[in-house]
mmCIF file with all atom_site columns, all heavy atoms in Angstrom:
data_model
loop_
_atom_site.group_PDB
_atom_site.id
_atom_site.type_symbol
_atom_site.label_atom_id
_atom_site.label_alt_id
_atom_site.label_comp_id
_atom_site.label_asym_id
_atom_site.label_entity_id
_atom_site.label_seq_id
_atom_site.pdbx_PDB_ins_code
_atom_site.Cartn_x
_atom_site.Cartn_y
_atom_site.Cartn_z
_atom_site.occupancy
_atom_site.B_iso_or_equiv
_atom_site.pdbx_formal_charge
_atom_site.auth_seq_id
_atom_site.auth_comp_id
_atom_site.auth_asym_id
_atom_site.auth_atom_id
_atom_site.pdbx_PDB_model_num
ATOM 1   N N   . ASP A 1 127 ? 103.211 96.615  119.341 1.00 0.00 ? 127 ASP A N   1
ATOM 2   C CA  . ASP A 1 127 ? 103.956 95.536  118.684 1.00 0.00 ? 127 ASP A CA  1
ATOM 3   C C   . ASP A 1 127 ? 103.098 94.275  118.611 1.00 0.00 ? 127 ASP A C   1
ATOM 4   O O   . ASP A 1 127 ? 103.543 93.180  118.941 1.00 0.00 ? 127 ASP A O   1
ATOM 5   C CB  . ASP A 1 127 ? 105.275 95.244  119.418 1.00 0.00 ? 127 ASP A CB  1
ATOM 6   C CG  . ASP A 1 127 ? 106.280 96.370  119.233 1.00 0.00 ? 127 ASP A CG  1
ATOM 7   O OD1 . ASP A 1 127 ? 106.162 97.121  118.249 1.00 0.00 ? 127 ASP A OD1 1
ATOM 8   O OD2 . ASP A 1 127 ? 107.185 96.505  120.082 1.00 0.00 ? 127 ASP A OD2 1
ATOM 9   N N   . ALA A 1 128 ? 101.867 94.466  118.159 1.00 0.00 ? 128 ALA A N   1
ATOM 10  C CA  . ALA A 1 128 ? 100.886 93.383  118.099 1.00 0.00 ? 128 ALA A CA  1
ATOM 11  C C   . ALA A 1 128 ? 100.688 92.903  116.660 1.00 0.00 ? 128 ALA A C   1
ATOM 12  O O   . ALA A 1 128 ? 100.724 93.704  115.732 1.00 0.00 ? 128 ALA A O   1
ATOM 13  C CB  . ALA A 1 128 ? 99.539  93.850  118.668 1.00 0.00 ? 128 ALA A CB  1
ATOM 14  N N   . ARG A 1 129 ? 100.508 91.633  116.506 1.00 0.00 ? 129 ARG A N   1
ATOM 15  C CA  . ARG A 1 129 ? 100.274 91.078  115.175 1.00 0.00 ? 129 ARG A CA  1
ATOM 16  C C   . ARG A 1 129 ? 98.849  91.378  114.714 1.00 0.00 ? 129 ARG A C   1
ATOM 17  O O   . ARG A 1 129 ? 97.908  91.348  115.510 1.00 0.00 ? 129 ARG A O   1
ATOM 18  C CB  . ARG A 1 129 ? 100.529 89.572  115.156 1.00 0.00 ? 129 ARG A CB  1
ATOM 19  C CG  . ARG A 1 129 ? 101.974 89.208  115.440 1.00 0.00 ? 129 ARG A CG  1
ATOM 20  C CD  . ARG A 1 129 ? 102.238 87.722  115.208 1.00 0.00 ? 129 ARG A CD  1
ATOM 21  N NE  . ARG A 1 129 ? 103.627 87.409  115.496 1.00 0.00 ? 129 ARG A NE  1
ATOM 22  C CZ  . ARG A 1 129 ? 104.625 87.575  114.640 1.00 0.00 ? 129 ARG A CZ  1
ATOM 23  N NH1 . ARG A 1 129 ? 104.364 88.071  113.429 1.00 0.00 ? 129 ARG A NH1 1
ATOM 24  N NH2 . ARG A 1 129 ? 105.853 87.261  114.960 1.00 0.00 ? 129 ARG A NH2 1
ATOM 25  N N   . GLY A 1 130 ? 98.719  91.690  113.433 1.00 0.00 ? 130 GLY A N   1
ATOM 26  C CA  . GLY A 1 130 ? 97.402  91.952  112.862 1.00 0.00 ? 130 GLY A CA  1
ATOM 27  C C   . GLY A 1 130 ? 97.406  91.680  111.383 1.00 0.00 ? 130 GLY A C   1
ATOM 28  O O   . GLY A 1 130 ? 98.372  91.145  110.821 1.00 0.00 ? 130 GLY A O   1
ATOM 29  N N   . ARG A 1 131 ? 96.316  92.058  110.736 1.00 0.00 ? 131 ARG A N   1
ATOM 30  C CA  . ARG A 1 131 ? 96.206  91.933  109.286 1.00 0.00 ? 131 ARG A CA  1
ATOM 31  C C   . ARG A 1 131 ? 95.602  93.223  108.738 1.00 0.00 ? 131 ARG A C   1
ATOM 32  O O   . ARG A 1 131 ? 94.819  93.887  109.423 1.00 0.00 ? 131 ARG A O   1
ATOM 33  C CB  . ARG A 1 131 ? 95.351  90.728  108.893 1.00 0.00 ? 131 ARG A CB  1
ATOM 34  C CG  . ARG A 1 131 ? 95.994  89.394  109.266 1.00 0.00 ? 131 ARG A CG  1
ATOM 35  C CD  . ARG A 1 131 ? 95.199  88.205  108.738 1.00 0.00 ? 131 ARG A CD  1
ATOM 36  N NE  . ARG A 1 131 ? 95.858  86.958  109.072 1.00 0.00 ? 131 ARG A NE  1
ATOM 37  C CZ  . ARG A 1 131 ? 96.828  86.415  108.337 1.00 0.00 ? 131 ARG A CZ  1
ATOM 38  N NH1 . ARG A 1 131 ? 97.235  87.018  107.233 1.00 0.00 ? 131 ARG A NH1 1
ATOM 39  N NH2 . ARG A 1 131 ? 97.384  85.283  108.704 1.00 0.00 ? 131 ARG A NH2 1
ATOM 40  N N   . ALA A 1 132 ? 95.968  93.552  107.517 1.00 0.00 ? 132 ALA A N   1
ATOM 41  C CA  . ALA A 1 132 ? 95.475  94.795  106.930 1.00 0.00 ? 132 ALA A CA  1
ATOM 42  C C   . ALA A 1 132 ? 95.299  94.643  105.428 1.00 0.00 ? 132 ALA A C   1
ATOM 43  O O   . ALA A 1 132 ? 95.896  93.767  104.792 1.00 0.00 ? 132 ALA A O   1
ATOM 44  C CB  . ALA A 1 132 ? 96.444  95.937  107.229 1.00 0.00 ? 132 ALA A CB  1
ATOM 45  N N   . SER A 1 133 ? 94.436  95.492  104.883 1.00 0.00 ? 133 SER A N   1
ATOM 46  C CA  . SER A 1 133 ? 94.213  95.551  103.441 1.00 0.00 ? 133 SER A CA  1
ATOM 47  C C   . SER A 1 133 ? 94.100  97.012  103.056 1.00 0.00 ? 133 SER A C   1
ATOM 48  O O   . SER A 1 133 ? 93.565  97.820  103.796 1.00 0.00 ? 133 SER A O   1
ATOM 49  C CB  . SER A 1 133 ? 92.908  94.841  103.061 1.00 0.00 ? 133 SER A CB  1
ATOM 50  O OG  . SER A 1 133 ? 92.903  93.497  103.524 1.00 0.00 ? 133 SER A OG  1
ATOM 51  N N   . GLY A 1 134 ? 94.608  97.356  101.866 1.00 0.00 ? 134 GLY A N   1
ATOM 52  C CA  . GLY A 1 134 ? 94.442  98.722  101.374 1.00 0.00 ? 134 GLY A CA  1
ATOM 53  C C   . GLY A 1 134 ? 95.724  99.535  101.418 1.00 0.00 ? 134 GLY A C   1
ATOM 54  O O   . GLY A 1 134 ? 96.829  99.013  101.587 1.00 0.00 ? 134 GLY A O   1
ATOM 55  N N   . ASN A 1 135 ? 95.572  100.852 101.271 1.00 0.00 ? 135 ASN A N   1
ATOM 56  C CA  . ASN A 1 135 ? 96.716  101.736 101.119 1.00 0.00 ? 135 ASN A CA  1
ATOM 57  C C   . ASN A 1 135 ? 97.402  102.061 102.448 1.00 0.00 ? 135 ASN A C   1
ATOM 58  O O   . ASN A 1 135 ? 96.759  102.322 103.445 1.00 0.00 ? 135 ASN A O   1
ATOM 59  C CB  . ASN A 1 135 ? 96.270  103.057 100.471 1.00 0.00 ? 135 ASN A CB  1
ATOM 60  C CG  . ASN A 1 135 ? 95.819  102.869 99.042  1.00 0.00 ? 135 ASN A CG  1
ATOM 61  O OD1 . ASN A 1 135 ? 96.285  101.953 98.347  1.00 0.00 ? 135 ASN A OD1 1
ATOM 62  N ND2 . ASN A 1 135 ? 94.920  103.709 98.583  1.00 0.00 ? 135 ASN A ND2 1
ATOM 63  N N   . VAL A 1 136 ? 98.730  102.018 102.389 1.00 0.00 ? 136 VAL A N   1
ATOM 64  C CA  . VAL A 1 136 ? 99.571  102.450 103.512 1.00 0.00 ? 136 VAL A CA  1
ATOM 65  C C   . VAL A 1 136 ? 100.142 103.821 103.153 1.00 0.00 ? 136 VAL A C   1
ATOM 66  O O   . VAL A 1 136 ? 100.611 104.030 102.031 1.00 0.00 ? 136 VAL A O   1
ATOM 67  C CB  . VAL A 1 136 ? 100.704 101.456 103.768 1.00 0.00 ? 136 VAL A CB  1
ATOM 68  C CG1 . VAL A 1 136 ? 101.554 101.912 104.957 1.00 0.00 ? 136 VAL A CG1 1
ATOM 69  C CG2 . VAL A 1 136 ? 100.150 100.062 104.031 1.00 0.00 ? 136 VAL A CG2 1
ATOM 70  N N   . ARG A 1 137 ? 100.100 104.777 104.084 1.00 0.00 ? 137 ARG A N   1
ATOM 71  C CA  . ARG A 1 137 ? 100.496 106.156 103.808 1.00 0.00 ? 137 ARG A CA  1
ATOM 72  C C   . ARG A 1 137 ? 101.782 106.523 104.547 1.00 0.00 ? 137 ARG A C   1
ATOM 73  O O   . ARG A 1 137 ? 102.160 105.880 105.536 1.00 0.00 ? 137 ARG A O   1
ATOM 74  C CB  . ARG A 1 137 ? 99.384  107.116 104.234 1.00 0.00 ? 137 ARG A CB  1
ATOM 75  C CG  . ARG A 1 137 ? 98.047  106.843 103.574 1.00 0.00 ? 137 ARG A CG  1
ATOM 76  C CD  . ARG A 1 137 ? 97.984  107.346 102.167 1.00 0.00 ? 137 ARG A CD  1
ATOM 77  N NE  . ARG A 1 137 ? 96.692  107.081 101.520 1.00 0.00 ? 137 ARG A NE  1
ATOM 78  C CZ  . ARG A 1 137 ? 96.387  107.498 100.302 1.00 0.00 ? 137 ARG A CZ  1
ATOM 79  N NH1 . ARG A 1 137 ? 97.269  108.207 99.607  1.00 0.00 ? 137 ARG A NH1 1
ATOM 80  N NH2 . ARG A 1 137 ? 95.220  107.202 99.773  1.00 0.00 ? 137 ARG A NH2 1
ATOM 81  N N   . ALA A 1 138 ? 102.422 107.576 104.070 1.00 0.00 ? 138 ALA A N   1
ATOM 82  C CA  . ALA A 1 138 ? 103.639 108.077 104.700 1.00 0.00 ? 138 ALA A CA  1
ATOM 83  C C   . ALA A 1 138 ? 103.352 108.814 105.999 1.00 0.00 ? 138 ALA A C   1
ATOM 84  O O   . ALA A 1 138 ? 104.244 109.017 106.818 1.00 0.00 ? 138 ALA A O   1
ATOM 85  C CB  . ALA A 1 138 ? 104.404 108.977 103.747 1.00 0.00 ? 138 ALA A CB  1
ATOM 86  N N   . ALA A 1 139 ? 102.100 109.235 106.188 1.00 0.00 ? 139 ALA A N   1
ATOM 87  C CA  . ALA A 1 139 ? 101.661 109.937 107.393 1.00 0.00 ? 139 ALA A CA  1
ATOM 88  C C   . ALA A 1 139 ? 100.203 109.561 107.629 1.00 0.00 ? 139 ALA A C   1
ATOM 89  O O   . ALA A 1 139 ? 99.525  109.059 106.720 1.00 0.00 ? 139 ALA A O   1
ATOM 90  C CB  . ALA A 1 139 ? 101.814 111.455 107.227 1.00 0.00 ? 139 ALA A CB  1
ATOM 91  N N   . PRO A 1 140 ? 99.684  109.775 108.816 1.00 0.00 ? 140 PRO A N   1
ATOM 92  C CA  . PRO A 1 140 ? 98.316  109.379 109.136 1.00 0.00 ? 140 PRO A CA  1
ATOM 93  C C   . PRO A 1 140 ? 97.274  110.328 108.545 1.00 0.00 ? 140 PRO A C   1
ATOM 94  O O   . PRO A 1 140 ? 96.579  111.054 109.257 1.00 0.00 ? 140 PRO A O   1
ATOM 95  C CB  . PRO A 1 140 ? 98.290  109.379 110.660 1.00 0.00 ? 140 PRO A CB  1
ATOM 96  C CG  . PRO A 1 140 ? 99.327  110.365 111.060 1.00 0.00 ? 140 PRO A CG  1
ATOM 97  C CD  . PRO A 1 140 ? 100.405 110.245 110.030 1.00 0.00 ? 140 PRO A CD  1
ATOM 98  N N   . SER A 1 141 ? 97.134  110.303 107.234 1.00 0.00 ? 141 SER A N   1
ATOM 99  C CA  . SER A 1 141 ? 96.181  111.148 106.516 1.00 0.00 ? 141 SER A CA  1
ATOM 100 C C   . SER A 1 141 ? 95.923  110.575 105.146 1.00 0.00 ? 141 SER A C   1
ATOM 101 O O   . SER A 1 141 ? 96.829  110.035 104.507 1.00 0.00 ? 141 SER A O   1
ATOM 102 C CB  . SER A 1 141 ? 96.754  112.579 106.395 1.00 0.00 ? 141 SER A CB  1
ATOM 103 O OG  . SER A 1 141 ? 96.007  113.335 105.467 1.00 0.00 ? 141 SER A OG  1
ATOM 104 N N   . ILE A 1 142 ? 94.687  110.737 104.654 1.00 0.00 ? 142 ILE A N   1
ATOM 105 C CA  . ILE A 1 142 ? 94.376  110.257 103.300 1.00 0.00 ? 142 ILE A CA  1
ATOM 106 C C   . ILE A 1 142 ? 95.059  111.108 102.238 1.00 0.00 ? 142 ILE A C   1
ATOM 107 O O   . ILE A 1 142 ? 95.114  110.730 101.069 1.00 0.00 ? 142 ILE A O   1
ATOM 108 C CB  . ILE A 1 142 ? 92.850  110.226 103.049 1.00 0.00 ? 142 ILE A CB  1
ATOM 109 C CG1 . ILE A 1 142 ? 92.242  111.609 103.219 1.00 0.00 ? 142 ILE A CG1 1
ATOM 110 C CG2 . ILE A 1 142 ? 92.175  109.207 103.932 1.00 0.00 ? 142 ILE A CG2 1
ATOM 111 C CD1 . ILE A 1 142 ? 90.792  111.708 102.809 1.00 0.00 ? 142 ILE A CD1 1
ATOM 112 N N   . PHE A 1 143 ? 95.581  112.271 102.652 1.00 0.00 ? 143 PHE A N   1
ATOM 113 C CA  . PHE A 1 143 ? 96.257  113.148 101.712 1.00 0.00 ? 143 PHE A CA  1
ATOM 114 C C   . PHE A 1 143 ? 97.780  112.899 101.672 1.00 0.00 ? 143 PHE A C   1
ATOM 115 O O   . PHE A 1 143 ? 98.474  113.471 100.852 1.00 0.00 ? 143 PHE A O   1
ATOM 116 C CB  . PHE A 1 143 ? 95.990  114.612 102.076 1.00 0.00 ? 143 PHE A CB  1
ATOM 117 C CG  . PHE A 1 143 ? 94.529  114.945 102.098 1.00 0.00 ? 143 PHE A CG  1
ATOM 118 C CD1 . PHE A 1 143 ? 93.868  115.173 103.295 1.00 0.00 ? 143 PHE A CD1 1
ATOM 119 C CD2 . PHE A 1 143 ? 93.788  115.004 100.926 1.00 0.00 ? 143 PHE A CD2 1
ATOM 120 C CE1 . PHE A 1 143 ? 92.514  115.471 103.322 1.00 0.00 ? 143 PHE A CE1 1
ATOM 121 C CE2 . PHE A 1 143 ? 92.446  115.296 100.932 1.00 0.00 ? 143 PHE A CE2 1
ATOM 122 C CZ  . PHE A 1 143 ? 91.805  115.531 102.137 1.00 0.00 ? 143 PHE A CZ  1
ATOM 123 N N   . ALA A 1 144 ? 98.259  112.038 102.562 1.00 0.00 ? 144 ALA A N   1
ATOM 124 C CA  . ALA A 1 144 ? 99.693  111.727 102.590 1.00 0.00 ? 144 ALA A CA  1
ATOM 125 C C   . ALA A 1 144 ? 100.052 110.799 101.433 1.00 0.00 ? 144 ALA A C   1
ATOM 126 O O   . ALA A 1 144 ? 99.197  110.097 100.873 1.00 0.00 ? 144 ALA A O   1
ATOM 127 C CB  . ALA A 1 144 ? 100.054 111.098 103.924 1.00 0.00 ? 144 ALA A CB  1
ATOM 128 N N   . GLU A 1 145 ? 101.310 110.779 101.089 1.00 0.00 ? 145 GLU A N   1
ATOM 129 C CA  . GLU A 1 145 ? 101.807 109.927 100.000 1.00 0.00 ? 145 GLU A CA  1
ATOM 130 C C   . GLU A 1 145 ? 101.535 108.454 100.278 1.00 0.00 ? 145 GLU A C   1
ATOM 131 O O   . GLU A 1 145 ? 101.718 107.977 101.410 1.00 0.00 ? 145 GLU A O   1
ATOM 132 C CB  . GLU A 1 145 ? 103.311 110.139 99.840  1.00 0.00 ? 145 GLU A CB  1
ATOM 133 C CG  . GLU A 1 145 ? 103.955 109.260 98.780  1.00 0.00 ? 145 GLU A CG  1
ATOM 134 C CD  . GLU A 1 145 ? 105.464 109.376 98.774  1.00 0.00 ? 145 GLU A CD  1
ATOM 135 O OE1 . GLU A 1 145 ? 106.007 110.135 99.599  1.00 0.00 ? 145 GLU A OE1 1
ATOM 136 O OE2 . GLU A 1 145 ? 106.094 108.692 97.932  1.00 0.00 ? 145 GLU A OE2 1
ATOM 137 N N   . LYS A 1 146 ? 101.079 107.746 99.260  1.00 0.00 ? 146 LYS A N   1
ATOM 138 C CA  . LYS A 1 146 ? 100.884 106.298 99.379  1.00 0.00 ? 146 LYS A CA  1
ATOM 139 C C   . LYS A 1 146 ? 102.232 105.617 99.238  1.00 0.00 ? 146 LYS A C   1
ATOM 140 O O   . LYS A 1 146 ? 102.924 105.802 98.237  1.00 0.00 ? 146 LYS A O   1
ATOM 141 C CB  . LYS A 1 146 ? 99.919  105.787 98.319  1.00 0.00 ? 146 LYS A CB  1
ATOM 142 C CG  . LYS A 1 146 ? 99.628  104.293 98.436  1.00 0.00 ? 146 LYS A CG  1
ATOM 143 C CD  . LYS A 1 146 ? 98.578  103.833 97.433  1.00 0.00 ? 146 LYS A CD  1
ATOM 144 C CE  . LYS A 1 146 ? 99.156  103.761 96.029  1.00 0.00 ? 146 LYS A CE  1
ATOM 145 N NZ  . LYS A 1 146 ? 98.207  103.131 95.073  1.00 0.00 ? 146 LYS A NZ  1
ATOM 146 N N   . VAL A 1 147 ? 102.606 104.814 100.220 1.00 0.00 ? 147 VAL A N   1
ATOM 147 C CA  . VAL A 1 147 ? 103.911 104.146 100.185 1.00 0.00 ? 147 VAL A CA  1
ATOM 148 C C   . VAL A 1 147 ? 103.789 102.676 99.821  1.00 0.00 ? 147 VAL A C   1
ATOM 149 O O   . VAL A 1 147 ? 104.768 102.035 99.459  1.00 0.00 ? 147 VAL A O   1
ATOM 150 C CB  . VAL A 1 147 ? 104.659 104.297 101.518 1.00 0.00 ? 147 VAL A CB  1
ATOM 151 C CG1 . VAL A 1 147 ? 104.956 105.763 101.794 1.00 0.00 ? 147 VAL A CG1 1
ATOM 152 C CG2 . VAL A 1 147 ? 103.860 103.693 102.668 1.00 0.00 ? 147 VAL A CG2 1
ATOM 153 N N   . ALA A 1 148 ? 102.569 102.114 99.958  1.00 0.00 ? 148 ALA A N   1
ATOM 154 C CA  . ALA A 1 148 ? 102.351 100.706 99.622  1.00 0.00 ? 148 ALA A CA  1
ATOM 155 C C   . ALA A 1 148 ? 100.871 100.441 99.524  1.00 0.00 ? 148 ALA A C   1
ATOM 156 O O   . ALA A 1 148 ? 100.041 101.223 100.026 1.00 0.00 ? 148 ALA A O   1
ATOM 157 C CB  . ALA A 1 148 ? 102.980 99.781  100.657 1.00 0.00 ? 148 ALA A CB  1
ATOM 158 N N   . SER A 1 149 ? 100.523 99.346  98.875  1.00 0.00 ? 149 SER A N   1
ATOM 159 C CA  . SER A 1 149 ? 99.130  98.900  98.817  1.00 0.00 ? 149 SER A CA  1
ATOM 160 C C   . SER A 1 149 ? 99.105  97.427  99.207  1.00 0.00 ? 149 SER A C   1
ATOM 161 O O   . SER A 1 149 ? 99.694  96.591  98.528  1.00 0.00 ? 149 SER A O   1
ATOM 162 C CB  . SER A 1 149 ? 98.572  99.086  97.405  1.00 0.00 ? 149 SER A CB  1
ATOM 163 O OG  . SER A 1 149 ? 97.208  98.710  97.363  1.00 0.00 ? 149 SER A OG  1
#
Side-chain angles (χ1 to χ4, degrees):
D127 290 337
R129 295 189 180 277
R131 293 187 178 275
S133 304
N135 293 331
V136 181
R137 303 282 179 177
S141 167
I142 59 172
F143 302 108
E145 177 188 0
K146 183 175 74 172
V147 297
S149 183

